[in-house]
Amino acid sequence: MNDCVKEKILIVDDTPANIDVLGGILSRDYDICVAISGHMALDIVNSGEIPDLILLDIMMPEMDGYEVARLLKANQNTNHIPIIFVTAKVEDEDEAAGFEMGAVDYIRKPVNAPITLARIKSQLELKRYRDQLSWMVKEKSHKVKHSQQALVKEKKKRIQVQGDLKNTSEQAHKNQAYFRELFMNSPYGIVLIGRDKKILNSNKSFSDLFGYAHSDIVLNDFPTSSPQERTREKIKDLVQKALAGRTGKTETECRHKKGYTIQVSALAYPIKIDDVVQAVFIFFEDITQRKLFEQKLHHQAFHDVLTGIANRRYFTEQLDTFLSMQKKNLSFRFAVLLIDLDRFKNVNDSLGHQAGDQLLKMVAEKIKVCLRNNDLFARLGGDEFAILLSDADSDDQISTIAERITKAAASPFIINGQEVRISASIGVVNQTLKYDKADSLIRDADLAMYHAKDSGKAQFQFFSSRMHESALMCLTIETELRKALERDELVLYFQPIINIKSKVLEGFEALIRWRHPHRGMVQPGQFISIAEETGLILPIGDWVIQEGCRRLIELKQKTSQPLTMNLNVSIKQFLQNDFTVKLKREISKAGLSPQDIKLEFTESLLMEHTQQALKKLYVLRDLGVKLAIDDFGTGYSSLSYLQKFPIDQIKIDRSFINAMEKQKESCEIVKSILALANSLNLSTVAEGVETQLQLEQLLNFSCGSAQGYFIAKPMPWESLQRLYSKSRSFLAK
Ligand code: C2E
Ligand code: CA
Ligand code: CA
C-alpha cells in the first residue's frame, strides 16, 4: 500500500445526516465515497470502483444492509471487501446475523468518533495483511501448479527446464520467506488451525498475548488461556464457521498465563485453495485498552459526574424496563420516589456553587445509606434525585423509606466549617401499573413532589389522580389568565391602611382580582401562584403598577392629604432587569413622586436572592420608593437580616394579629416584633385587624398603622371613591 494514496471508504446510508457525521469523522484520513441506497452502493462497486472498506447502514428502504452485504459476498469481485455495519440495532442476534452475512465489525449509532476511527483503522490494517497473505498463498499455489505443468510439458527440454525450475523454486522460496516473515512478526497474535481443528502454527505475538510458549499450546484444548466456558464456546464456533468457509469475528475475555484477564478480539477466516478450505487463521488483537475506554464512555453516558450515581438517562431506561417487565408479570411491584431539595438554591446563592456541589454530594451519600442494594438511585439534574424501589410491596414500607430520607436530608450538613440545613420534598408513585412510559410516571411523581412542597415542604406525598385534576385546573386557569389580560378582566381592589393613633387614612394596598366571565370574582390566592409559575406575573405585575399609579393620582387630585399606594411585588417581577426602569417610568408618567409608592416584598424574596436582591433594593431606595416587608414573621425567624436591607416598614402577618386575643404567646411575639422594629426605626403595620380589641392592643404596643376587615375590606374603585368623599377617617362611624 502506497502511503500517499488514501484508502477508500464507501459510506452507505439513506440518512444524509448520518453520512455527514461519518464523513466528518473520516474525511481527513480517508478517501470517502457515498451511496444513499443499497442499489447505488452496488452500482458503484460493480462499476469497478472497489473501496477498501464499506460502512453499511442496516435499516434502509427497498434494500436493507443485510441484502447489500449478501450480494457483495456472493460476487467474486467484491466478496473480499470488509463490511462494517453501522447500526442502532444492538441485540446479540442482530450482531450474529451481521457476522453471518460476512460483516467484520459493528459500529453503533450514535457513532463515537474515536471508537469509529479505531475500528476502521484496525479493519483496514487487517485487510492489508489479509490481502498480502492471500496474494502470497495464491501466488505460491499458482507457481507450484505452473511449475508442475512445465515439468510435464517440457520433460524433453531438460536443460532449459532445469533453468526454469531453478527460477521458479527460487521464487517460491522467496514467497515462503515473505509469508513466514509476515506470519511470525505480525503485531496480531495469529494461529493457524488445520481442518482437524488442531493448531498447526502460532506466532510470537500470540505467545506474547497469552503468555504461552508455542510448545504449551495444546491443540484440542483451545484456547488454553481462556478460563471461561463462554469464551471457549465462542472460539470453537468461530473455528467451526471458518472451516465451513465463513469469516467470523468475536470479542471476548481471556486469561493471560500469569492470571490477569485480557480483552481480545478474534477474527477467523478460512484459507481456501481451489475453493476448498485448507486451514483457518485466527487473528487475535489485544483490545483491553479500547474496552476500558468504552467502559469509561459507557459509565460517563449513564452516570452523574458530580455524585457518581446514575443519571437521568439511565434512570429512565431502567424505569422503562421495569414498566415492560411489569406488563409481563403483573405481580411485579415497584415504586418511584422523586426527591427535590428545599432551599437548595438558597445555599447555592449564598455560599457559592462549590459549596452547593459539595452539599449535593453529601446529600447523595446520606440518601444512599437509606436504600437497599437493589434500589436504583439517580440524580436527575440540579437538586432533583430519583429512586426506583424494587420489591416495594406495601405503602407502609415505602413510607418508611421516604420518612428515612426526609429525616436524613433534614439533619445538618457541615460545609466549609459552616452548618447548613436543608430539607427534602418527595413525590411517590406507587400505582405503577397504569403507566406505559417512564416519562409519564416521572411527571406524576413530580406532581406529587410539588404537592409535598406546597403542603409545607420536608415531607412526602403519594401521587393520586386528584392531583392530576388540580394540575388540569391550573392549566385551564393558565390559558384563561392569558386571555384575561387581553380582555381587561383584571381589576384592582383597594384596602385602606390607617394610622392607629390618629385614625387618619395613610393609603391603600392594591389587591388584584379577576373578574372572570363564568367563575365570577376570582381571588388572587387562586391565580397568583400560577401566574408566577408561568411567568404571566410579569405582564400582570406591569399592569398592577400602571393601574395602581393611575388610581392614586386620581385620588390625589381630590385631596391634599398625603396618600401612599402599596403594591405587591413578586420575586420574578422584582428580578427582571428592567424592573426599576419600568417602575420609574410609570411613576413619572402618572405624575406621582416615588415616595407615593410603597412596594411590598415577602421575606423569602429577600432571603432566597440575597446578593441580587440587596443591590436592587438599594437602587429602589435611592429612587425614593418606600419598601415594606409583607407577611412578616412567617418566613425566616432570623431577624438579623432586617438590618442588612434598606427597608422602611414591616407588615406583621395576619396570623399573629388573629391569635393575639386568644394566645398570650402571640401577644408577646407581636410586642417583640414591634420593639425590634422601633429600635431599627422601621414603621409598622398590623395586617388583618378584625376586632376593636385587637386595634386597642396594637395601640398599647405602639404599633403605627393597621389594615384589616375591622377598618375596611378591600373594595373596588367605585366604592372607594364614594367612601372617600364621605369621610377621611374610616373609624369615625
Ligand atoms: P397580602 O399581600 O398579605 O394581602 C393581604 C390579604 O389579606 C388580602 O387577601 C386581603 O384581602 C386579606 N385581608 C385584609 N384584611 C383582612 C382581615 O381582616 N382578615 C382576613 N382574613 N383577611 C384580610 P387577598 O386580596 O386575597 O390577597 C391575597 C394575596 O395575594 C396577597 O396577600 C398577596 O400576596 C397576593 N396579591 C394580591 N394582589 C397582588 C398583586 O397585585 N400582585 C402580587 N404579586 N400579589 C398580589
Ligand atoms: Ca401585601
Ligand atoms: Ca400580607
Side-chain angles (χ1 to χ4, degrees):
M1 179 85 207
N2 186 339
D3 276 349
C4 305
V5 179
K6 284 185 179 176
E7 279 151 314
K8 182 180 284 173
I9 296 180
L10 171 63
I11 303 175
V12 189
D13 202 311
D14 60 311
T15 315
N18 292 342
I19 294 179
D20 280 355
V21 172
L22 284 168
I25 295 171
L26 302 171
S27 58
R28 206 181 58 119
D29 299 328
Y30 301 102
D31 191 5
I32 301 298
C33 71
V34 163
I36 53 166
S37 70
H39 291 293
M40 189 172 164
L42 293 172
D43 284 350
I44 290 176
V45 175
N46 291 332
S47 74
E49 253 201 78
I50 306 275
D52 294 292
L53 187 131
I54 299 177
L55 292 177
L56 187 52
D57 180 27
I58 294 181
M59 310 276 266
M60 291 188 292
E62 286 178 38
M63 186 189 286
D64 67 9
Y66 292 140
E67 181 61 11
V68 178
R70 197 186 61 76
L71 292 170
L72 287 170
K73 290 294 162 192
N75 183 338
Q76 246 196 353
N77 296 324
T78 55
N79 66 3
H80 67 283
I81 310 172
I83 297 171
I84 297 183
F85 278 130
V86 183
T87 177
K89 285 181 138 196
V90 289
E91 303 293 327
D92 277 354
E93 304 91 76
D94 297 323
E95 254 191 55
F99 287 130
E100 196 84 359
M101 286 297 169
V104 293
D105 205 349
Y106 263 86
I107 291 174
R108 303 212 169 132
K109 285 182 192 170
V111 294
N112 166 295
I115 288 183
T116 304
L117 274 171
R119 291 201 157 167
I120 287 175
K121 201 170 149 230
S122 71
Q123 284 309 334
L124 284 171
E125 224 166 283
L126 261 181
K127 179 183 177 272
R128 258 176 267 139
Y129 283 122
R130 211 169 44 199
D131 286 352
Q132 279 171 20
L133 271 174
S134 54
W135 177 80
M136 282 175 178
V137 170
K138 229 191 228 162
E139 186 79 348
K140 191 176 152 195
S141 64
H142 180 76
K143 291 279 179 193
V144 169
K145 220 171 168 182
H146 184 80
S147 63
Q148 278 170 347
Q149 281 167 359
L151 269 170
V152 175
K153 250 188 178 179
E154 307 291 325
K155 239 179 188 173
K156 286 165 196 167
K157 301 176 182 171
R158 277 194 188 174
I159 301 158
Q160 205 186 336
V161 166
Q162 261 170 1
D164 273 1
L165 200 58
K166 194 170 164 242
N167 284 345
T168 312
S169 70
E170 250 172 31
Q171 188 57 44
H173 186 73
K174 248 188 193 166
N175 283 347
Q176 236 169 13
Y178 287 158
F179 176 79
R180 200 170 40 240
E181 189 68 13
L182 181 66
F183 181 80
M184 289 323 288
N185 295 329
S186 166
Y188 290 90
I190 309 176
V191 278
L192 183 62
I193 295 173
R195 291 176 58 87
D196 55 0
K197 297 183 194 166
K198 296 210 188 284
I199 290 182
L200 302 176
N201 204 351
S202 69
N203 70 354
K204 181 171 176 303
S205 292
F206 184 84
S207 301
D208 291 347
L209 187 61
F210 296 104
Y212 289 88
H214 181 68
S215 54
D216 287 342
I217 297 163
V218 184
L219 278 11
N220 50 11
D221 197 18
F222 186 83
T224 344
S225 46
S226 169
Q228 291 151 327
E229 192 61 32
R230 215 163 64 92
T231 301
R232 279 165 205 267
E233 286 308 312
K234 275 185 176 179
I235 303 283
K236 263 187 196 161
D237 270 6
L238 218 54
V239 173
Q240 198 71 44
K241 257 187 204 160
L243 285 172
R246 283 170 300 177
T247 302
K249 190 183 173 183
T250 190
E251 286 181 0
T252 184
E253 194 177 272
C254 292
R255 182 162 294 168
H256 189 273
K257 194 181 180 187
K258 286 187 179 150
Y260 56 85
T261 43
I262 44 175
Q263 303 288 339
V264 297
S265 83
L267 172 94
Y269 89 93
I271 303 168
K272 293 181 190 170
I273 297 171
D274 290 337
D275 259 355
V276 179
V277 178
Q278 301 294 339
V280 170
F281 268 130
I282 308 184
F283 287 71
F284 287 95
E285 186 188 4
D286 186 347
I287 53 165
T288 312
Q289 288 307 318
R290 195 193 86 201
K291 280 279 168 193
L292 281 177
F293 180 64
E294 278 178 1
Q295 269 169 16
K296 221 167 111 189
L297 282 180
H298 186 267
H299 187 89
Q300 270 173 11
F302 288 111
H303 286 79
D304 172 47
V305 182
L306 180 70
T307 56
I309 61 176
N311 63 8
R312 177 182 282 272
R313 183 167 157 202
Y314 188 62
F315 186 82
T316 38
E317 275 184 20
Q318 261 333 84
L319 183 52
D320 273 327
T321 314
F322 268 48
L323 288 171
S324 53
M325 271 156 72
Q326 189 179 237
K327 292 268 160 339
K328 287 177 200 142
N329 174 9
L330 295 181
S331 62
F332 178 65
R333 293 273 321 250
F334 65 94
V336 169
L337 273 63
L338 197 90
I339 306 169
D340 193 278
L341 304 183
D342 308 319
R343 274 196 283 225
F344 172 74
K345 203 175 168 330
N346 197 7
V347 176
N348 227 13
D349 289 349
S350 54
L351 299 181
H353 284 281
Q354 267 185 346
D357 282 355
Q358 207 182 331
L359 179 62
L360 287 173
K361 272 198 247 180
M362 291 165 109
V363 173
E365 283 305 318
K366 267 199 192 174
I367 295 179
K368 222 190 274 174
V369 177
C370 307
L371 303 174
R372 300 159 305 180
N373 276 344
N374 51 346
D375 297 328
L376 174 67
F377 180 34
R379 178 171 170 229
L380 301 189
D383 58 346
E384 204 175 68
F385 295 88
I387 295 164
L388 191 53
L389 285 183
S390 35
D391 316 320
D393 285 330
S394 69
D395 289 356
D396 279 352
Q397 198 187 351
I398 301 169
S399 302
T400 311
I401 295 174
E403 241 159 55
R404 229 186 280 157
I405 294 170
T406 42
K407 257 201 200 128
S411 61
F413 294 87
I414 307 289
I415 291 170
N416 301 336
Q418 200 171 337
E419 187 178 298
V420 174
R421 278 179 189 268
I422 52 154
S423 55
S425 296
I426 306 176
V428 184
V429 170
N430 55 343
Q431 305 292 328
T432 50
L433 261 173
K434 62 176 179 190
Y435 298 95
D436 290 324
K437 282 225 154 74
D439 287 348
S440 43
L441 196 156
I442 291 174
R443 190 201 55 216
D444 283 354
D446 207 48
L447 210 53
M449 187 273 291
Y450 272 104
H451 274 256
K453 271 201 198 285
D454 276 351
S455 326
K457 302 179 176 171
Q459 55 184 286
F460 65 92
Q461 292 259 331
F462 281 89
F463 173 78
S464 78
S465 48
R466 195 176 31 81
M467 293 179 183
H468 246 322
E469 284 149 27
S470 73
L472 245 143
M473 182 68 184
C474 287
L475 208 67
T476 340
I477 291 186
E478 185 193 332
T479 352
E480 291 179 353
L481 195 55
R482 281 180 204 283
K483 290 184 200 142
L485 265 163
E486 296 161 18
R487 295 180 190 167
D488 228 7
E489 290 168 5
L490 299 177
V491 285
L492 283 186
Y493 271 38
F494 302 92
Q495 189 176 31
I497 299 170
I498 60 154
N499 181 292
I500 299 184
K501 223 181 200 167
S502 65
K503 310 285 187 287
V504 167
L505 177 69
E506 294 180 329
F508 301 89
E509 175 174 2
L511 293 160
I512 198 167
R513 301 286 181 269
W514 176 7
R515 212 183 297 235
H516 193 282
H518 311 300
R519 293 178 213 271
M521 196 61 89
V522 185
Q523 299 300 312
Q526 284 173 271
F527 66 89
I528 285 292
S529 59
I530 296 172
E532 279 171 346
E533 271 166 37
T534 55
L536 278 172
I537 195 68
L538 301 182
I540 292 177
D542 288 348
W543 177 83
V544 169
I545 291 174
Q546 197 182 334
E547 182 72 359
C549 289
R550 184 168 79 91
R551 291 308 193 194
L552 181 61
I553 198 71
E554 243 182 278
L555 278 178
K556 273 179 172 289
Q557 278 155 4
K558 293 184 184 173
T559 171
S560 57
Q561 189 189 356
L563 285 175
T564 53
M565 183 63 78
N566 287 29
L567 301 172
N568 290 289
V569 175
S570 75
I571 302 187
K572 266 197 189 158
Q573 197 185 347
F574 174 71
L575 290 178
Q576 287 175 105
N577 285 331
D578 56 351
F579 176 71
T580 20
V581 178
K582 278 200 285 196
L583 178 71
K584 200 172 154 184
R585 193 174 57 217
E586 288 306 326
I587 290 173
S588 67
K589 210 166 91 189
L592 292 165
S593 75
Q595 289 83 333
D596 300 329
I597 298 298
K598 194 176 281 168
L599 301 179
E600 296 191 6
F601 301 102
T602 57
E603 285 173 279
S604 56
L605 179 145
L606 305 179
M607 294 311 293
E608 283 168 20
H609 301 271
T610 342
Q611 287 310 320
Q612 224 179 333
L614 198 60
K615 258 202 210 150
K616 220 164 197 169
L617 288 177
Y618 274 103
V619 176
L620 286 171
R621 198 198 47 182
D622 291 347
L623 180 68
V625 294
K626 297 267 177 291
L627 306 170
I629 294 192
D630 205 357
D631 307 339
F632 187 84
T634 54
Y636 300 80
S637 14
S638 146
L639 301 172
S640 57
Y641 73 89
L642 274 183
Q643 288 159 297
K644 239 171 48 186
F645 293 107
I647 44 178
D648 303 280
Q649 186 172 68
I650 55 177
K651 298 186 76 179
I652 305 169
D653 191 66
R654 193 169 76 219
S655 56
F656 298 107
I657 309 300
N658 194 266
M660 270 198 321
E661 286 173 23
K662 287 155 254 159
Q663 287 178 351
K664 258 193 96 187
E665 244 173 79
S666 296
C667 269
E668 292 306 317
I669 293 174
V670 173
K671 254 203 251 177
S672 43
I673 292 176
L674 288 168
L676 176 86
N678 289 336
S679 74
L680 291 172
N681 244 339
L682 301 173
S683 63
T684 47
V685 181
E687 292 190 299
V689 177
E690 290 184 354
T691 66
Q692 174 84 38
L693 183 61
Q694 287 165 356
L695 199 63
E696 279 164 15
Q697 277 176 311
L698 288 163
L699 181 65
N700 284 340
F701 300 160
S702 320
C703 180
S705 317
Q707 174 185 357
Y709 291 174
F710 180 68
I711 299 146
K713 286 196 170 183
M715 60 190 88
W717 172 247
E718 299 74 30
S719 318
L720 173 65
Q721 265 185 317
R722 240 177 290 133
L723 231 168
Y724 194 78
S725 59
K726 270 192 228 155
S727 131
R728 281 183 182 182
S729 164
F730 283 88
L731 288 181
K733 289 178 183 166

